[in-house]
Amino acid sequence: MPILDWLNKNEAVRTVAKVPYRLLEPVADLSYGDPASENMLIQGDNLEALKSLIPVYAGRVKCIYIDPPYNTKSAFEHYDDNLEHSKWLSLMYPRLELLRELLSEDGVIFVNLDENEHSYQKVMMDEIFGRKNYLGDLIWKKRKGGGNDSRFFALDHDYIIVFTKNANKEIHPFKWRVSQTEEYLKRYKEKDEDGRRYYWDTLARDGLQNPILIELDCPDGDKITINSQKSLSTVLDGSKNGE
């Protein structure tokens, strides 16, 4: 598998081992709610904060969302988003290592970025999480129109890179569905007894990853079991020939 290399990568790979474990100290004046809820808002260096969570939460976190600096070459009020490229990569590597350690086996991490570092981050996460555990990118439209800051053509969306710790189907037996608009749902004109929408269509479909098994009762009492990747007419024609 190809891996990403950059100046001082070896040092970035060794960073996690050098980060000390620190105890989290609650601030009573800023605390609210049930202390047993385990909800926390941590103020401090985020690398040290992540390391401090490992002894208690390693392998227990099911969902992580991070919105790291996009490295847009801009300076904002509260942080500088103009890191030299290799420094940005060295900043991200150890944090992603710790985030992976925090994830449960069925845990999922979402990383929000734009086009500046998206492709580099994907290759880095292939190395840390394993390429087979890449679930895909979510695309979200961040504005309408091109804007006056467009250099060559309008860029109107950002990316959310999605990885899991273990993409084994036994661990992730479900499929996530993207919510649809009411306009799209109009095609599903029928409803079952539970209120779920559907529409009538052919069961034959080339290229299905999970073919639907269909069992037919024949006039002579025999049963035929086929899958939805195979044409129904072909199967019926075959049954006439003794197949």
Side-chain angles (χ1 to χ4, degrees), residues 41-71:
L41 180 62
I42 303 172
Q43 181 178 358
D45 181 88
N46 57 22
L47 188 60
E48 293 183 354
L50 289 171
K51 189 71 175 277
S52 70
L53 295 173
I54 294 297
V56 177
Y57 295 100
R60 294 180 55 192
V61 180
K62 297 195 69 171
C63 180
I64 296 173
Y65 169 85
I66 63 172
D67 186 14
Y70 282 16
N71 212 14

Side-chain angles (χ1 to χ4, degrees), residues 42-232:
I42 303 172
Q43 181 178 358
D45 181 88
N46 57 22
L47 188 60
E48 293 183 354
L50 289 171
K51 189 71 175 277
S52 70
L53 295 173
I54 294 297
V56 177
Y57 295 100
R60 294 180 55 192
V61 180
K62 297 195 69 171
C63 180
I64 296 173
Y65 169 85
I66 63 172
D67 186 14
Y70 282 16
N71 212 14
T72 59
K73 313 306 177 190
S74 303
F76 297 99
E77 180 181 356
H78 298 295
Y79 72 96
D80 186 1
D81 198 26
N82 188 21
L83 292 173
E84 195 275 325
H85 181 57
S86 63
K87 290 183 179 179
W88 188 92
L89 296 170
S90 293
L91 176 145
M92 293 302 300
Y93 193 96
R95 287 159 176 80
L96 288 168
E97 279 192 303
L98 290 173
L99 289 167
R100 183 190 181 279
E101 195 170 342
L102 288 169
L103 276 182
S104 59
E105 285 299 303
D106 61 346
V108 181
I109 181 171
F110 302 82
V111 182
N112 198 158
L113 287 168
D114 70 2
E115 68 281 352
N116 284 285
E117 298 290 0
H118 166 267
S119 56
Y120 297 96
Q121 184 73 126
K122 165 62 170 62
V123 176
M124 180 187 292
M125 294 183 74
D126 283 343
E127 179 178 346
I128 296 172
F129 289 83
R131 188 173 181 180
K132 63 182 176 61
N133 294 317
Y134 170 61
L135 300 185
D137 281 2
L138 301 176
I139 307 299
W140 67 275
K141 190 172 182 179
K142 61 184 179 181
R143 65 184 178 184
K144 296 180 179 179
N148 293 329
D149 59 345
S150 299
R151 293 183 58 204
F152 302 107
F153 51 87
L155 299 173
D156 63 353
H157 63 276
D158 283 352
Y159 305 88
I160 301 178
I161 306 173
V162 188
F163 272 79
T164 182
K165 191 170 186 177
N166 191 334
N168 189 303
K169 288 186 177 180
E170 294 181 0
I171 296 177
H172 292 280
F174 58 87
K175 286 188 176 181
W176 292 345
R177 303 294 184 188
V178 177
S179 59
Q180 301 293 346
T181 63
E182 281 298 317
E183 186 64 28
Y184 176 86
L185 292 174
K186 286 180 180 179
R187 66 186 296 196
Y188 296 89
K189 298 179 179 179
E190 310 292 340
K191 287 188 178 182
D192 64 13
E193 60 273 13
D194 296 322
R196 294 174 296 187
R197 301 190 188 194
Y198 67 94
Y199 69 96
W200 295 101
D201 195 4
T202 175
L203 285 171
R205 183 81 76 246
D206 292 335
L208 284 179
Q209 292 185 3
N210 300 297
I212 304 169
L213 293 180
I214 306 163
E215 188 173 83
L216 300 176
D217 293 321
C218 300
D220 61 1
D222 289 341
K223 291 182 181 294
I224 298 177
T225 301
I226 61 175
N227 69 59
S228 55
Q229 283 183 313
K230 193 170 184 180
S231 168
L232 180 59

